[in-house]
């Protein structure tokens, strides 16, 4: 009995420690954040089905489906719909099917919305991707053209890899007709299309081991297919690489639309298309900053809003901060997902949670 009592106490202690300490977070006046689910270990990319189901990729080998049956802003049912996959951080919903990345392959769960309790076995879309684990996790998204966009990161911190590495690709939903979208990209783990212009914007993680404050992560915009964004020759649009930069002037490559900060690990990004948030956030780019691992003072660990007008970046402002205090992090944002009601979900792979941000005017 004493042993059983001890086990129960230990379980309660673990549960208490695992509860995300949302009281540590700071948001602008009128904004509120709450737990949508705290049962998603390793939560990474988010995707929404037409019935409102939220699909969550993870770095824990699993894919989750979250259902808010009470329509109260919190998932009351969490189902694991795939297991044993290789770093399946990316998920994208398309025509009733859920596409999943798994390092060297793309898989699909057919007609998943009707089979959440008895999920189908993942089918292979393509296995014609490199099997390198370094920067091998893949954010996925379907573009306005109906194509599946798939990045292939550089298999290193800094090197001169051949294609298909360090590039963003697109393909048909069946994996055929792969086409180069952009290259010279160290590792993008977030991209989206701008409402109105239809232009593709993406985050890119800067290289390591050039000091605390160099180089910056980038926010980039693709103006033409096949553009080269500098890696490994030029960083942040103006800094030649000390090893690979000679003979490769930065003017030869597409400059970033904005510098996001050194080592902040800018991951998932989406344009805010809702109307719940104040007008200054309408059309802004929301970016999950996963946070630094090799900086003497931590940076990132927050969600930023980047205000844009057409092709121009106007301002960068914090939306959610406080995942790290006093050089200790309890959370690491990985993706953002605006919902039809104007609220925004945020995934956190360290706390294993998904949060929901809402807004209500302080004067209302």
């Amino acid at each position: 009995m004493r042993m059983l009592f001890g086990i129960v106490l230990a379980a309660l202690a673990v549960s208490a420690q695992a509860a995300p300490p949302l009281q540590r977070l700071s948001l602008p006046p009128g904004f509120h954040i709450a737990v949508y689910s705290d049962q998603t270990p390793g939560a990474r990319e988010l995707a929404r089905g037409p019935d409102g189901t939220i699909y969550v990729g993870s770095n824990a080998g699993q894919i989750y489906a979250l259902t808010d049956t009470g329509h109260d802003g919190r998932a009351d049912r969490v189902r694991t719909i795939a297991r044993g996959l290789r770093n399946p951080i990316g998920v994208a919903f398309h025509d009733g099917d859920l596409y999943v990345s798994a390092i060297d392959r793309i898989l699909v769960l057919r007609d998943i919305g009707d089979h959440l309790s008895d999920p189908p076995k993942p089918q292979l879309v393509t296995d014609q991707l490199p099997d390198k684990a370094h920067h091998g996790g893949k954010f996925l998204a379907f573009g306005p053209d109906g194509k599946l966009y798939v990045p292939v990161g550089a298999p290193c911190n800094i090197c001169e890899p051949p294609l298909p590495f360090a590039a963003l690709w697109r393909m048909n939903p069946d994996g055929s007709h792969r086409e180069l979208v952009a290259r010279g990209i160290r590792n993008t783990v977030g991209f989206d299309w701008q409402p109105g212009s239809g232009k593709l914007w993406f985050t890119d993680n800067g290289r390591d081991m050039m000091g605390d404050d160099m180089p910056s992560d980038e926010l980039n915009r693709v103006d033409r297919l096949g553009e080269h964004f500098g890696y490994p020759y030029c960083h942040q649009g103006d800094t030649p690489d000390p090893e690979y930069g000679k003979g490769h002037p930065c003017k030869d490559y597409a400059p970033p639309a904005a510098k996001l900060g050194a080592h902040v690990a800018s991951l998932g990004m989406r344009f805010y298309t809702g109307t719940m948030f104040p007008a200054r956030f309408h059309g802004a780019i929301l970016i999950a900053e996963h946070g630094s691992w090799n900086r003497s003072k931590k940076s990132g660990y927050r969600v930023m809003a980047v205000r844009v007008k057409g092709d121009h970046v106007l301002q960068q402002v914090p939306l959610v901060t406080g995942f790290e205090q006093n050089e200790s992090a309890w959370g690491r944002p990985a993706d953002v997902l605006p919902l039809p009601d104007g609220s925004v979900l945020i995934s956190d792979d360290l706390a294993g949670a998904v949060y929901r941000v809402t807004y209500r005017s302080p004067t209302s």
Side-chain angles (χ1 to χ4, degrees):
M1 179 64 72
R2 181 178 298 176
M3 180 178 294
L4 178 60
F5 183 67
I7 292 173
V8 171
L9 286 179
L12 289 173
V14 169
S15 177
Q17 290 174 356
L22 299 191
Q23 71 278 4
R24 299 183 186 178
L25 297 177
S26 296
L27 296 88
F31 284 89
H32 305 275
I33 190 167
V35 171
Y36 188 77
S37 173
D38 57 4
Q39 303 298 314
T40 53
R44 294 293 296 249
E45 188 178 0
L46 304 168
R48 181 182 180 275
D51 63 352
T53 299
I54 302 300
Y55 299 96
V56 186
S58 81
N59 55 24
Q62 303 182 134
I63 304 294
Y64 313 105
L66 312 183
T67 308
D68 175 11
T69 58
H71 304 288
D72 59 358
R74 182 175 178 122
D76 48 19
R77 188 164 188 187
V78 179
R79 285 172 270 207
T80 300
I81 57 174
R83 292 181 171 84
L85 303 180
R86 189 181 177 202
N87 200 22
I89 70 168
V91 288
F93 196 91
H94 180 71
D95 285 349
D97 302 327
L98 184 70
Y99 289 73
V100 177
S101 65
I103 305 290
D104 63 342
R105 61 196 59 209
I106 306 296
L107 306 169
V108 62
L109 281 70
R110 300 290 186 193
D111 196 25
I112 185 60
D114 291 333
H115 299 91
L116 294 178
S117 296
D118 57 336
K121 182 178 179 180
Q123 298 177 15
L124 180 68
V125 174
T126 181
D127 57 3
Q128 300 302 301
L129 296 168
D131 65 355
K132 303 294 185 184
H134 196 125
H135 296 152
K138 294 171 174 62
F139 184 97
L140 299 179
F142 278 89
D145 53 8
K147 302 274 189 176
L148 176 61
Y149 285 67
V150 181
V152 178
C156 56
N157 170 37
I158 186 74
C159 59
E160 198 173 19
L163 290 175
F165 294 104
L168 178 60
W169 301 84
R170 67 182 179 186
M171 63 186 69
N172 289 337
D174 64 2
S176 65
H177 300 292
R178 188 170 70 179
E179 180 182 17
L180 178 68
V181 176
R183 60 188 304 187
I185 303 168
R186 182 173 177 268
N187 189 38
T188 178
V189 198
F191 40 88
D192 196 13
W193 288 262
Q194 185 176 29
S197 75
K199 288 187 176 181
L200 174 62
W201 294 60
F202 66 92
T203 57
D204 191 15
N205 290 175
R207 67 156 290 181
D208 301 318
M209 309 308 174
M210 280 183 65
D212 273 3
D213 301 314
M214 289 292 292
S216 179
D217 281 9
E218 299 175 4
L219 176 63
N220 292 303
R221 183 188 66 251
V222 179
D223 290 327
R224 59 178 177 81
L225 282 179
E227 269 189 299
H228 197 302
F229 287 86
Y231 178 88
Y233 312 115
C234 175
H235 308 292
Q236 65 176 36
D238 57 15
T239 303
D241 186 79
E243 183 176 355
Y244 293 97
K246 187 176 181 180
H248 298 277
C250 285
K251 65 179 180 59
D252 290 349
Y253 307 104
K259 299 176 184 178
L260 300 175
H263 308 296
V264 297
S266 305
L267 300 188
M269 62 145 284
R270 319 275 177 150
F271 283 91
Y272 181 71
T273 53
T275 58
M276 177 188 288
F277 291 5
R280 67 184 183 275
F281 290 95
H282 295 180
I285 300 171
L286 305 182
I287 301 176
E289 293 186 353
H290 199 228
S292 61
W293 62 269
N294 64 336
R295 196 170 184 272
S296 60
K297 186 175 181 179
K298 285 183 169 60
S299 60
Y301 299 94
R302 60 188 179 179
V303 175
M304 294 291 290
V306 180
R307 296 181 58 229
V308 298
K309 184 176 183 179
D311 288 348
H312 304 289
V313 171
L314 303 179
Q315 184 186 28
Q316 301 181 46
V317 295
L319 179 61
V320 186
T321 61
F323 291 98
E324 172 269 321
Q325 288 115 9
N326 301 317
E327 297 302 299
S328 178
W330 62 265
R332 302 191 77 180
D335 195 18
V336 290
L337 181 66
L339 298 181
D341 67 358
S343 64
V344 172
L345 298 182
I346 301 169
S347 63
D348 176 349
D349 66 352
L350 181 58
V354 177
Y355 315 113
R356 180 170 175 257
V357 176
T358 55
Y359 176 82
R360 183 176 181 181
S361 172
T363 59
S364 63

